[in-house]
Amino acid sequence: MQNRNTYEWTKKMTRLTSVLVMIHIITRTSISNAYPIFAQQGYENPREATGRIVCANCHLAKKPVDIEVPQSVLPNTVFEAIVKIPYDTQMKQVLANGKKGALNVGAVLILPEGFELAPPDRISPEIRQKTGNLYFQNYRPNKKNIIVIGPVPGQKYSELVFPILSPNPATDKEAHFLKYPIYVGGNRGRGQIYPDGSKSNNTVYSASATGRISKLLRKEKGGYEITIDNTSDGGQVVDIVPPGPELLISEGELIKVDQPLANNPNMGGFGQGDAEIVLQDPLRVKGLLLFLASVILAQIFLVLKKEQFEKVQLAEMNL
């Protein structure tokens, strides 16, 4: 009986351990691969009062980004918002382990209130083909108008197609037939600063003191430990360069404070842009079409009347 209880207890503990390991693997994977989670955890709104998108706090280099949307859309319709993140796809960036790899891209799309990601059953096969296997998510459960994506392979997705559903003022009292702004931020490559303020290995490392490099030690796991004999107080300062950047200095060299110790390995950057879209009232469109039709009919009747008048004049002259 005791052996049976021991067996059952061991079996339960084995199952529990397996579950905990799986949870750890899934959680770790999702966090390490989901860079937008940094902004989602740290900021209630990705766009500051100044208009700056918070991704620029970690991705310091400025790069272009472009957005294309229709000039106007009808209510309760699905349309495309195309975000273009141009860069040289042949470039390689420094990865977290110091090796070189391809650049990823990511984007945040800030829509007007009421606009949201189109549900799967409303997306046409044509748009679905353009979006591919991209996975979009809301910035917050209660902020459906803010959509984030990434990181995804830049070589395949330097052009991102967002399927967007426009609001219907007939059912949504907060929506109105107006012109609205749309804001976008897009980055390519890794950032230079982590959310806690520490540097990544994808940025410039500079000397913290003026002096002579007395020791240059290559660390076992990569990177360098640089000892500087400080000329100001006679002490020693040790600067660390992580794996990835390539050294620009050598042992015995005199350097100044803030002088770069290694190159700048960053190949990416962040950019933001904006566009405008009009939520068009169908009655206005119908009214415009009726007006144009009436103008065309009036012109036709005018021409017919003129020809009739000329015929009457010609008949009177023949008499």
Side-chain angles (χ1 to χ4, degrees), residues 21-303:
V21 169
M22 288 299 297
I23 291 174
H24 172 72
I25 291 173
I26 293 171
T27 305
R28 185 176 178 183
T29 302
S30 63
I31 291 177
S32 63
N33 291 334
Y35 299 151
I37 200 172
F38 291 154
Q40 289 170 279
Q41 290 178 342
Y43 301 91
E44 183 64 27
N45 192 318
R47 187 170 182 268
E48 299 174 345
T50 59
R52 175 188 173 101
I53 295 178
V54 298
C55 304
N57 295 334
C58 296
H59 298 267
L60 304 183
K62 188 176 180 180
K63 297 288 184 178
V65 68
D66 191 25
I67 179 172
E68 294 180 2
V69 294
Q71 186 176 4
S72 62
V73 292
L74 294 174
N76 195 30
T77 56
V78 176
F79 65 94
E80 300 175 10
I82 303 174
V83 177
K84 297 180 180 180
I85 308 174
Y87 76 97
D88 183 0
T89 55
Q90 301 302 317
M91 291 192 306
K92 299 292 184 180
Q93 68 173 350
V94 171
L95 304 179
N97 58 8
K99 297 180 180 179
K100 295 292 184 71
L103 277 70
N104 291 330
V105 299
V108 53
L109 186 66
I110 306 174
L111 300 165
E113 291 285 347
F115 289 75
E116 61 183 49
L117 187 67
D121 59 338
R122 293 290 304 273
I123 301 176
S124 66
E126 182 184 356
I127 297 179
R128 193 182 302 277
Q129 186 177 5
K130 293 180 181 179
T131 57
N133 297 322
L134 293 176
Y135 174 71
F136 302 92
Q137 59 177 318
N138 295 324
Y139 187 80
R140 287 272 191 278
N142 61 338
K143 291 186 180 296
K144 294 184 178 181
N145 64 308
I146 304 178
I147 306 168
V148 296
I149 184 173
V152 294
Q155 292 181 337
K156 187 177 181 181
Y157 295 110
S158 61
E159 187 172 297
L160 304 169
V161 179
F162 290 74
I164 307 300
L165 177 65
S166 62
N168 187 1
T171 57
D172 185 0
K173 300 304 179 184
E174 299 297 324
H176 304 282
F177 295 110
L178 297 171
K179 180 185 286 187
Y180 293 99
I182 295 177
Y183 305 102
V184 65
N187 72 278
R188 72 285 282 150
R190 298 174 58 232
Q192 287 68 62
I193 299 177
Y194 291 117
D196 61 1
S198 61
K199 286 184 175 183
S200 74
N201 66 335
N202 192 37
T203 189
V204 177
Y205 281 79
S206 303
S208 59
T210 298
R212 185 183 298 275
I213 299 175
S214 59
K215 188 177 181 182
L216 197 61
L217 177 65
R218 184 178 179 85
K219 302 173 74 174
E220 183 179 349
K221 295 183 178 181
Y224 296 89
E225 187 177 283
I226 303 168
T227 303
I228 304 172
D229 292 337
N230 195 343
T231 57
S232 60
D233 58 8
Q236 287 187 331
V237 176
V238 177
D239 286 337
I240 304 295
V241 176
E246 299 176 1
L247 290 185
L248 299 175
I249 45 84
S250 57
E251 192 169 322
E253 183 178 342
L254 284 171
I255 59 172
K256 296 182 179 179
V257 64
D258 294 331
Q259 179 179 332
L261 299 173
N263 71 326
N264 183 1
N266 180 39
M267 295 294 176
F270 175 78
Q272 63 182 76
D274 57 75
E276 290 183 338
I277 192 168
V278 176
L279 184 59
Q280 191 64 262
D281 188 348
L283 294 178
R284 294 179 185 173
V285 177
K286 292 178 181 178
L288 178 61
L289 292 176
L290 287 174
F291 172 74
L292 293 175
S294 63
V295 170
I296 293 172
L297 286 174
Q299 292 291 332
I300 292 174
F301 288 139
L302 181 62
V303 171

